[in-house]
Amino acid sequence: MKPLRIALLWHHHQPYYTVDDRFALPWVRLHAAKDYVDLALIHQSHPEIRCTYNIVPSLLLQIQEYLKGTEDEVLTLSKVQAHELTREQKRRVVELFFLCHHETMLDPHERYRDLYVRSRDPEAAVNSFRHEDWRDLQVWYNLTWIGPVTRESEHIRRLFAKGSLFSEGDKKTVLSQHMLALHSFVPVLKQLYESGRADLSMTPLYHPILPLVMDTDVARQATPDTSMPAHRYRQEQDAEWQVRRGEQIFADAFGCSPRGVWCSEGSVSMDVMRLLSSCGFAWTATDEHVLRNTKSGRSRTHACFPHSVQEDRRQPITVFFRDHGLSDAIGFEYRHWEPDHAAHDFVRRLHSLRAEIVHEHGEHALDDAVVPIILDGENCWEFYRDNGRPFLHALYSLLAHDEQLTTVTFTDVCASQTYSPDHTLDDLVAGSWIHGTFSLWIGHQEKNAAWDALYAARTLAGTKRVTKQQWRAAMEHIYIAEGSDWFWWYGDDHNAPLREVFDEIFRYHLRNVYELYDEEVPSSLERPMMKARGTSTTYSTMHGSG
């Protein structure tokens, strides 16, 4: 019996949060402590499973900066001894130290839950909390951001059991565990790679929507009525720099070059295909919606076959099409299920898909078929019980012992894949892993205003003569501002605590371009571009689908 190949990819993504030598948001540290290392440790206990970890170089840069001493505000506030906190610091602690998914990260812990209830009147908390209350809150917020595998260590188990009346030494223990996770991130993934159980791929450096950086007009390929910015953004050289510099940072960290690229948000275009091919990459991936937009009228199983893209005598590159339903089932649906039930349902759906492939194409088609399961490696797990560990153990165990299924990496597939004429492309409708369009990054008035602000700063950087040092510094700000997350949070699509910080970071980088060039900063960059939406009570650190 021929098995159906399953290609799992966990996308480890954080935008570049560094502002004025500190991190504007703590998510790199907190997700490293809770998700990134634990996901790899869970994988280590299932040696039969093969999967791919996709690393964004901006995440690697920030991990290095943490290890060199850069701090985020939460970390700085956590280090202050409880009796030394000022009134303003206490207000910030109340504002920041409950930002987590309460159902799974706060409610299960009586002391943490009590502190939350008592802090609903922030000013009353500032006036009434005792030193031990503040210290317990400092410890609990950082403690709840430690992953379930790491929690099994004796010193962390002791703190969960203690529950209250923590000491300054206890606090140092928790923060040291966070730093250990940052130290462990690269070595743990490198060990999985060198053992042959995992592949490593990358995303362009600062997580840009590469097709839009190369030409914003491609947004109209999938949605012709998209409202466009006043100025067309076309910076192919920036896109190439994001790819090549990202590859260098990746290679410096892992000691190997990636064979594949998951472009930010699964965004692709023919320009991107040509760029990746010219850089020597073997594969990339996007969503099945992109294939559906390119080749309408095909059955669902058509997306289970990798396609070869070749143009103008360039080296062909393989493109995989993410199974949207199965990937989003892990990302959004199974969090509400019992872990074993969810894992069995996922495998049942894979069996059903295998049967469809055999029915439509014959059993020999399983030699070429592969089901890509691609999603973020951090954002969904806080919504799962025990941070997803029971579900992942159940899923990996089922996949490892199922004769009808086998796990592979994308590079594995490229090494032996053959392509029929039906599985080759000489054109591709540009799109992303969300609806096969770019609507979450361009088209809304705020998003378009951000593109026009970026265009103006990029035009200045490309036309005014300055020293090489000034130009390089300005361009670094431009590259960061090309990142996808700033545009993601503009518009009416998403609302969450601290969303306005993304607007502040974006404008900070553009202001720096003008200041480096001794030019007057446009007034539009001195005030928020993002309209106030009211305070959301729903916690979210999500940057994309998955």
Side-chain angles (χ1 to χ4, degrees), residues 147-187:
V149 179
T150 306
R151 290 182 187 186
E152 293 176 352
S153 63
E154 182 179 351
H155 56 288
I156 297 300
R157 282 206 318 269
R158 178 183 62 81
L159 294 179
F160 273 98
K162 186 175 183 180
S164 64
L165 297 177
F166 295 117
S167 67
E168 289 295 327
D170 293 332
K171 185 168 54 174
K172 289 180 180 177
T173 296
V174 177
L175 297 180
S176 294
Q177 185 61 58
H178 282 216
M179 296 308 295
L180 180 60
L182 292 163
H183 273 287
S184 302
F185 176 78
V186 168

mmCIF file of all heavy atoms in Angstrom, residues 147-187:
data_model
loop_
_atom_site.group_PDB
_atom_site.id
_atom_site.type_symbol
_atom_site.label_atom_id
_atom_site.label_comp_id
_atom_site.label_asym_id
_atom_site.label_seq_id
_atom_site.Cartn_x
_atom_site.Cartn_y
_atom_site.Cartn_z
ATOM 1 N N GLY A 147 6.524 27.128 28.310
ATOM 2 C CA GLY A 147 5.865 26.018 27.638
ATOM 3 C C GLY A 147 5.727 24.782 28.501
ATOM 4 O O GLY A 147 6.433 24.614 29.504
ATOM 5 N N PRO A 148 4.823 23.876 28.129
ATOM 6 C CA PRO A 148 4.498 22.716 28.969
ATOM 7 C C PRO A 148 5.632 21.719 29.133
ATOM 8 O O PRO A 148 5.726 21.059 30.170
ATOM 9 C CB PRO A 148 3.315 22.070 28.231
ATOM 10 C CG PRO A 148 3.458 22.523 26.812
ATOM 11 C CD PRO A 148 4.029 23.907 26.897
ATOM 12 N N VAL A 149 6.504 21.577 28.134
ATOM 13 C CA VAL A 149 7.634 20.666 28.278
ATOM 14 C C VAL A 149 8.650 21.262 29.251
ATOM 15 O O VAL A 149 9.156 20.575 30.158
ATOM 16 C CB VAL A 149 8.296 20.376 26.918
ATOM 17 C CG1 VAL A 149 9.485 19.434 27.086
ATOM 18 C CG2 VAL A 149 7.285 19.779 25.947
ATOM 19 N N THR A 150 8.919 22.532 29.082
ATOM 20 C CA THR A 150 9.872 23.210 29.966
ATOM 21 C C THR A 150 9.363 23.224 31.405
ATOM 22 O O THR A 150 10.153 23.190 32.351
ATOM 23 C CB THR A 150 10.123 24.646 29.475
ATOM 24 O OG1 THR A 150 10.526 24.602 28.100
ATOM 25 C CG2 THR A 150 11.202 25.326 30.289
ATOM 26 N N ARG A 151 8.061 23.276 31.580
ATOM 27 C CA ARG A 151 7.491 23.301 32.936
ATOM 28 C C ARG A 151 7.789 22.027 33.720
ATOM 29 O O ARG A 151 7.618 21.997 34.944
ATOM 30 C CB ARG A 151 5.969 23.485 32.871
ATOM 31 C CG ARG A 151 5.531 24.860 32.418
ATOM 32 C CD ARG A 151 4.018 24.988 32.420
ATOM 33 N NE ARG A 151 3.600 26.252 31.838
ATOM 34 C CZ ARG A 151 2.350 26.693 31.817
ATOM 35 N NH1 ARG A 151 1.395 25.959 32.371
ATOM 36 N NH2 ARG A 151 2.048 27.857 31.266
ATOM 37 N N GLU A 152 8.219 20.979 33.038
ATOM 38 C CA GLU A 152 8.501 19.727 33.728
ATOM 39 C C GLU A 152 9.813 19.781 34.512
ATOM 40 O O GLU A 152 10.084 18.900 35.322
ATOM 41 C CB GLU A 152 8.546 18.584 32.719
ATOM 42 C CG GLU A 152 7.190 18.297 32.079
ATOM 43 C CD GLU A 152 7.255 17.220 31.017
ATOM 44 O OE1 GLU A 152 8.386 16.799 30.664
ATOM 45 O OE2 GLU A 152 6.185 16.796 30.530
ATOM 46 N N SER A 153 10.632 20.811 34.266
ATOM 47 C CA SER A 153 11.877 20.921 35.033
ATOM 48 C C SER A 153 11.532 21.173 36.505
ATOM 49 O O SER A 153 10.530 21.823 36.832
ATOM 50 C CB SER A 153 12.738 22.062 34.490
ATOM 51 O OG SER A 153 12.082 23.303 34.647
ATOM 52 N N GLU A 154 12.370 20.674 37.375
ATOM 53 C CA GLU A 154 12.048 20.692 38.807
ATOM 54 C C GLU A 154 11.839 22.102 39.342
ATOM 55 O O GLU A 154 10.886 22.369 40.093
ATOM 56 C CB GLU A 154 13.168 19.996 39.596
ATOM 57 C CG GLU A 154 12.910 19.922 41.086
ATOM 58 C CD GLU A 154 14.023 19.203 41.832
ATOM 59 O OE1 GLU A 154 14.903 18.607 41.160
ATOM 60 O OE2 GLU A 154 14.015 19.230 43.079
ATOM 61 N N HIS A 155 12.701 23.050 38.941
ATOM 62 C CA HIS A 155 12.603 24.394 39.521
ATOM 63 C C HIS A 155 11.370 25.137 39.033
ATOM 64 O O HIS A 155 10.812 25.968 39.760
ATOM 65 C CB HIS A 155 13.868 25.203 39.232
ATOM 66 C CG HIS A 155 14.219 25.330 37.793
ATOM 67 N ND1 HIS A 155 14.712 24.294 37.038
ATOM 68 C CD2 HIS A 155 14.148 26.398 36.952
ATOM 69 C CE1 HIS A 155 14.933 24.707 35.801
ATOM 70 N NE2 HIS A 155 14.594 25.969 35.712
ATOM 71 N N ILE A 156 10.896 24.840 37.810
ATOM 72 C CA ILE A 156 9.680 25.486 37.323
ATOM 73 C C ILE A 156 8.450 24.826 37.939
ATOM 74 O O ILE A 156 7.479 25.512 38.327
ATOM 75 C CB ILE A 156 9.622 25.452 35.787
ATOM 76 C CG1 ILE A 156 10.797 26.240 35.193
ATOM 77 C CG2 ILE A 156 8.296 26.023 35.282
ATOM 78 C CD1 ILE A 156 10.838 27.709 35.586
ATOM 79 N N ARG A 157 8.458 23.493 38.081
ATOM 80 C CA ARG A 157 7.351 22.801 38.755
ATOM 81 C C ARG A 157 7.174 23.326 40.178
ATOM 82 O O ARG A 157 6.048 23.508 40.641
ATOM 83 C CB ARG A 157 7.610 21.290 38.808
ATOM 84 C CG ARG A 157 7.346 20.568 37.504
ATOM 85 C CD ARG A 157 6.989 19.089 37.752
ATOM 86 N NE ARG A 157 7.824 18.465 38.763
ATOM 87 C CZ ARG A 157 8.965 17.820 38.500
ATOM 88 N NH1 ARG A 157 9.397 17.726 37.268
ATOM 89 N NH2 ARG A 157 9.656 17.261 39.478
ATOM 90 N N ARG A 158 8.284 23.583 40.825
ATOM 91 C CA ARG A 158 8.216 24.085 42.205
ATOM 92 C C ARG A 158 7.508 25.422 42.283
ATOM 93 O O ARG A 158 6.697 25.665 43.192
ATOM 94 C CB ARG A 158 9.637 24.208 42.772
ATOM 95 C CG ARG A 158 9.698 24.773 44.182
ATOM 96 C CD ARG A 158 11.140 24.933 44.656
ATOM 97 N NE ARG A 158 11.881 25.873 43.828
ATOM 98 C CZ ARG A 158 11.820 27.199 43.969
ATOM 99 N NH1 ARG A 158 11.030 27.737 44.902
ATOM 100 N NH2 ARG A 158 12.539 27.990 43.204
ATOM 101 N N LEU A 159 7.742 26.280 41.306
ATOM 102 C CA LEU A 159 7.115 27.601 41.329
ATOM 103 C C LEU A 159 5.622 27.515 41.052
ATOM 104 O O LEU A 159 4.822 28.215 41.673
ATOM 105 C CB LEU A 159 7.796 28.517 40.306
ATOM 106 C CG LEU A 159 9.262 28.860 40.612
ATOM 107 C CD1 LEU A 159 9.844 29.756 39.530
ATOM 108 C CD2 LEU A 159 9.387 29.532 41.978
ATOM 109 N N PHE A 160 5.214 26.649 40.115
ATOM 110 C CA PHE A 160 3.784 26.471 39.876
ATOM 111 C C PHE A 160 3.102 25.927 41.133
ATOM 112 O O PHE A 160 1.979 26.317 41.468
ATOM 113 C CB PHE A 160 3.554 25.533 38.691
ATOM 114 C CG PHE A 160 3.546 26.231 37.360
ATOM 115 C CD1 PHE A 160 4.683 26.244 36.566
ATOM 116 C CD2 PHE A 160 2.415 26.884 36.909
ATOM 117 C CE1 PHE A 160 4.690 26.892 35.334
ATOM 118 C CE2 PHE A 160 2.402 27.534 35.681
ATOM 119 C CZ PHE A 160 3.537 27.536 34.892
ATOM 120 N N ALA A 161 3.767 25.023 41.832
ATOM 121 C CA ALA A 161 3.191 24.459 43.055
ATOM 122 C C ALA A 161 3.132 25.500 44.173
ATOM 123 O O ALA A 161 2.171 25.538 44.949
ATOM 124 C CB ALA A 161 4.013 23.250 43.509
ATOM 125 N N LYS A 162 4.139 26.362 44.234
ATOM 126 C CA LYS A 162 4.184 27.389 45.272
ATOM 127 C C LYS A 162 3.037 28.370 45.092
ATOM 128 O O LYS A 162 2.320 28.695 46.055
ATOM 129 C CB LYS A 162 5.527 28.109 45.223
ATOM 130 C CG LYS A 162 5.763 29.110 46.335
ATOM 131 C CD LYS A 162 7.186 29.682 46.261
ATOM 132 C CE LYS A 162 7.472 30.642 47.406
ATOM 133 N NZ LYS A 162 8.850 31.189 47.337
ATOM 134 N N GLY A 163 2.860 28.909 43.913
ATOM 135 C CA GLY A 163 1.666 29.676 43.560
ATOM 136 C C GLY A 163 1.616 31.115 44.014
ATOM 137 O O GLY A 163 1.019 31.950 43.352
ATOM 138 N N SER A 164 2.214 31.437 45.151
ATOM 139 C CA SER A 164 2.136 32.802 45.685
ATOM 140 C C SER A 164 3.303 33.047 46.630
ATOM 141 O O SER A 164 4.097 32.151 46.923
ATOM 142 C CB SER A 164 0.800 33.024 46.407
ATOM 143 O OG SER A 164 0.698 32.173 47.533
ATOM 144 N N LEU A 165 3.376 34.287 47.088
ATOM 145 C CA LEU A 165 4.443 34.713 47.993
ATOM 146 C C LEU A 165 5.813 34.374 47.408
ATOM 147 O O LEU A 165 6.702 33.848 48.094
ATOM 148 C CB LEU A 165 4.268 34.081 49.377
ATOM 149 C CG LEU A 165 2.984 34.481 50.122
ATOM 150 C CD1 LEU A 165 2.891 33.732 51.440
ATOM 151 C CD2 LEU A 165 2.939 35.999 50.357
ATOM 152 N N PHE A 166 5.970 34.684 46.126
ATOM 153 C CA PHE A 166 7.244 34.448 45.453
ATOM 154 C C PHE A 166 8.309 35.398 45.981
ATOM 155 O O PHE A 166 8.012 36.513 46.437
ATOM 156 C CB PHE A 166 7.092 34.644 43.944
ATOM 157 C CG PHE A 166 6.174 33.648 43.273
ATOM 158 C CD1 PHE A 166 5.011 34.064 42.650
ATOM 159 C CD2 PHE A 166 6.482 32.294 43.268
ATOM 160 C CE1 PHE A 166 4.176 33.160 42.019
ATOM 161 C CE2 PHE A 166 5.651 31.373 42.643
ATOM 162 C CZ PHE A 166 4.494 31.809 42.026
ATOM 163 N N SER A 167 9.549 34.973 45.860
ATOM 164 C CA SER A 167 10.687 35.800 46.268
ATOM 165 C C SER A 167 11.330 36.432 45.039
ATOM 166 O O SER A 167 11.024 36.068 43.896
ATOM 167 C CB SER A 167 11.714 34.939 46.998
ATOM 168 O OG SER A 167 12.295 34.000 46.096
ATOM 169 N N GLU A 168 12.223 37.374 45.262
ATOM 170 C CA GLU A 168 12.987 37.943 44.148
ATOM 171 C C GLU A 168 13.831 36.861 43.485
ATOM 172 O O GLU A 168 14.049 36.882 42.269
ATOM 173 C CB GLU A 168 13.872 39.086 44.651
ATOM 174 C CG GLU A 168 13.104 40.349 45.058
ATOM 175 C CD GLU A 168 12.400 41.015 43.895
ATOM 176 O OE1 GLU A 168 12.929 40.956 42.750
ATOM 177 O OE2 GLU A 168 11.314 41.602 44.106
ATOM 178 N N GLY A 169 14.274 35.880 44.261
ATOM 179 C CA GLY A 169 15.014 34.767 43.684
ATOM 180 C C GLY A 169 14.154 33.925 42.759
ATOM 181 O O GLY A 169 14.615 33.450 41.713
ATOM 182 N N ASP A 170 12.882 33.729 43.147
ATOM 183 C CA ASP A 170 11.955 33.003 42.276
ATOM 184 C C ASP A 170 11.790 33.725 40.946
ATOM 185 O O ASP A 170 11.744 33.104 39.876
ATOM 186 C CB ASP A 170 10.589 32.862 42.950
ATOM 187 C CG ASP A 170 10.613 31.956 44.173
ATOM 188 O OD1 ASP A 170 11.472 31.049 44.227
ATOM 189 O OD2 ASP A 170 9.765 32.153 45.065
ATOM 190 N N LYS A 171 11.698 35.040 41.035
ATOM 191 C CA LYS A 171 11.532 35.832 39.812
ATOM 192 C C LYS A 171 12.748 35.678 38.907
ATOM 193 O O LYS A 171 12.615 35.509 37.684
ATOM 194 C CB LYS A 171 11.302 37.298 40.169
ATOM 195 C CG LYS A 171 11.003 38.184 38.979
ATOM 196 C CD LYS A 171 10.489 39.553 39.391
ATOM 197 C CE LYS A 171 11.369 40.278 40.348
ATOM 198 N NZ LYS A 171 10.926 41.654 40.633
ATOM 199 N N LYS A 172 13.921 35.701 39.476
ATOM 200 C CA LYS A 172 15.138 35.514 38.680
ATOM 201 C C LYS A 172 15.165 34.135 38.034
ATOM 202 O O LYS A 172 15.643 33.976 36.912
ATOM 203 C CB LYS A 172 16.373 35.721 39.562
ATOM 204 C CG LYS A 172 16.602 37.162 39.983
ATOM 205 C CD LYS A 172 17.841 37.295 40.868
ATOM 206 C CE LYS A 172 18.064 38.739 41.297
ATOM 207 N NZ LYS A 172 19.235 38.863 42.211
ATOM 208 N N THR A 173 14.649 33.139 38.730
ATOM 209 C CA THR A 173 14.599 31.784 38.178
ATOM 210 C C THR A 173 13.750 31.754 36.910
ATOM 211 O O THR A 173 14.128 31.157 35.892
ATOM 212 C CB THR A 173 14.020 30.802 39.208
ATOM 213 O OG1 THR A 173 14.904 30.732 40.332
ATOM 214 C CG2 THR A 173 13.849 29.405 38.612
ATOM 215 N N VAL A 174 12.572 32.399 36.953
ATOM 216 C CA VAL A 174 11.682 32.410 35.791
ATOM 217 C C VAL A 174 12.325 33.158 34.631
ATOM 218 O O VAL A 174 12.323 32.687 33.484
ATOM 219 C CB VAL A 174 10.328 33.051 36.160
ATOM 220 C CG1 VAL A 174 9.432 33.128 34.925
ATOM 221 C CG2 VAL A 174 9.642 32.257 37.246
ATOM 222 N N LEU A 175 12.880 34.332 34.900
ATOM 223 C CA LEU A 175 13.483 35.130 33.823
ATOM 224 C C LEU A 175 14.711 34.432 33.252
ATOM 225 O O LEU A 175 14.981 34.538 32.048
ATOM 226 C CB LEU A 175 13.833 36.521 34.344
ATOM 227 C CG LEU A 175 12.634 37.364 34.803
ATOM 228 C CD1 LEU A 175 13.096 38.726 35.310
ATOM 229 C CD2 LEU A 175 11.614 37.531 33.680
ATOM 230 N N SER A 176 15.435 33.707 34.087
ATOM 231 C CA SER A 176 16.575 32.933 33.588
ATOM 232 C C SER A 176 16.105 31.835 32.642
ATOM 233 O O SER A 176 16.775 31.511 31.660
ATOM 234 C CB SER A 176 17.358 32.325 34.756
ATOM 235 O OG SER A 176 17.955 33.334 35.541
ATOM 236 N N GLN A 177 14.939 31.249 32.931
ATOM 237 C CA GLN A 177 14.394 30.216 32.051
ATOM 238 C C GLN A 177 14.038 30.800 30.689
ATOM 239 O O GLN A 177 14.231 30.155 29.656
ATOM 240 C CB GLN A 177 13.156 29.585 32.687
ATOM 241 C CG GLN A 177 12.594 28.415 31.904
ATOM 242 C CD GLN A 177 13.592 27.283 31.773
ATOM 243 O OE1 GLN A 177 14.076 26.753 32.772
ATOM 244 N NE2 GLN A 177 13.918 26.906 30.543
ATOM 245 N N HIS A 178 13.537 32.011 30.677
ATOM 246 C CA HIS A 178 13.250 32.687 29.408
ATOM 247 C C HIS A 178 14.532 32.882 28.603
ATOM 248 O O HIS A 178 14.559 32.641 27.381
ATOM 249 C CB HIS A 178 12.589 34.040 29.667
ATOM 250 C CG HIS A 178 11.142 33.949 30.013
ATOM 251 N ND1 HIS A 178 10.214 34.878 29.604
ATOM 252 C CD2 HIS A 178 10.444 33.021 30.725
ATOM 253 C CE1 HIS A 178 9.012 34.537 30.049
ATOM 254 N NE2 HIS A 178 9.138 33.423 30.744
ATOM 255 N N MET A 179 15.589 33.301 29.262
ATOM 256 C CA MET A 179 16.858 33.508 28.557
ATOM 257 C C MET A 179 17.422 32.178 28.071
ATOM 258 O O MET A 179 18.018 32.098 26.987
ATOM 259 C CB MET A 179 17.856 34.210 29.463
ATOM 260 C CG MET A 179 17.447 35.624 29.871
ATOM 261 S SD MET A 179 17.000 36.691 28.466
ATOM 262 C CE MET A 179 18.587 36.795 27.634
ATOM 263 N N LEU A 180 17.228 31.118 28.838
ATOM 264 C CA LEU A 180 17.692 29.796 28.411
ATOM 265 C C LEU A 180 16.967 29.362 27.141
ATOM 266 O O LEU A 180 17.569 28.760 26.242
ATOM 267 C CB LEU A 180 17.464 28.777 29.530
ATOM 268 C CG LEU A 180 17.906 27.337 29.219
ATOM 269 C CD1 LEU A 180 19.394 27.278 28.918
ATOM 270 C CD2 LEU A 180 17.556 26.417 30.390
ATOM 271 N N ALA A 181 15.674 29.671 27.049
ATOM 272 C CA ALA A 181 14.924 29.342 25.836
ATOM 273 C C ALA A 181 15.495 30.084 24.638
ATOM 274 O O ALA A 181 15.636 29.508 23.548
ATOM 275 C CB ALA A 181 13.446 29.685 26.023
ATOM 276 N N LEU A 182 15.832 31.344 24.814
ATOM 277 C CA LEU A 182 16.431 32.115 23.718
ATOM 278 C C LEU A 182 17.777 31.520 23.319
ATOM 279 O O LEU A 182 18.101 31.427 22.131
ATOM 280 C CB LEU A 182 16.587 33.578 24.138
ATOM 281 C CG LEU A 182 15.267 34.355 24.314
ATOM 282 C CD1 LEU A 182 15.492 35.627 25.107
ATOM 283 C CD2 LEU A 182 14.646 34.677 22.960
ATOM 284 N N HIS A 183 18.569 31.110 24.300
ATOM 285 C CA HIS A 183 19.855 30.449 24.019
ATOM 286 C C HIS A 183 19.652 29.133 23.271
ATOM 287 O O HIS A 183 20.469 28.757 22.429
ATOM 288 C CB HIS A 183 20.592 30.167 25.335
ATOM 289 C CG HIS A 183 21.447 31.288 25.823
ATOM 290 N ND1 HIS A 183 22.652 31.629 25.238
ATOM 291 C CD2 HIS A 183 21.274 32.149 26.859
ATOM 292 C CE1 HIS A 183 23.187 32.639 25.882
ATOM 293 N NE2 HIS A 183 22.383 32.990 26.866
ATOM 294 N N SER A 184 18.569 28.423 23.585
ATOM 295 C CA SER A 184 18.370 27.072 23.068
ATOM 296 C C SER A 184 17.746 27.043 21.684
ATOM 297 O O SER A 184 17.787 26.002 21.012
ATOM 298 C CB SER A 184 17.457 26.278 24.026
ATOM 299 O OG SER A 184 18.017 26.222 25.316
ATOM 300 N N PHE A 185 17.171 28.138 21.249
ATOM 301 C CA PHE A 185 16.371 28.149 20.023
ATOM 302 C C PHE A 185 17.136 27.573 18.835
ATOM 303 O O PHE A 185 16.706 26.600 18.212
ATOM 304 C CB PHE A 185 15.909 29.575 19.727
ATOM 305 C CG PHE A 185 15.157 29.710 18.428
ATOM 306 C CD1 PHE A 185 13.842 29.330 18.339
ATOM 307 C CD2 PHE A 185 15.774 30.214 17.300
ATOM 308 C CE1 PHE A 185 13.135 29.446 17.145
ATOM 309 C CE2 PHE A 185 15.091 30.337 16.097
ATOM 310 C CZ PHE A 185 13.764 29.954 16.024
ATOM 311 N N VAL A 186 18.276 28.146 18.505
ATOM 312 C CA VAL A 186 19.046 27.675 17.347
ATOM 313 C C VAL A 186 19.613 26.276 17.583
ATOM 314 O O VAL A 186 19.483 25.397 16.714
ATOM 315 C CB VAL A 186 20.145 28.676 16.976
ATOM 316 C CG1 VAL A 186 21.128 28.077 15.966
ATOM 317 C CG2 VAL A 186 19.525 29.945 16.391
ATOM 318 N N PRO A 187 20.254 25.987 18.717
ATOM 319 C CA PRO A 187 20.823 24.638 18.906
ATOM 320 C C PRO A 187 19.797 23.506 18.814
ATOM 321 O O PRO A 187 20.096 22.449 18.250
ATOM 322 C CB PRO A 187 21.441 24.712 20.312
ATOM 323 C CG PRO A 187 21.767 26.157 20.500
ATOM 324 C CD PRO A 187 20.658 26.886 19.821
#
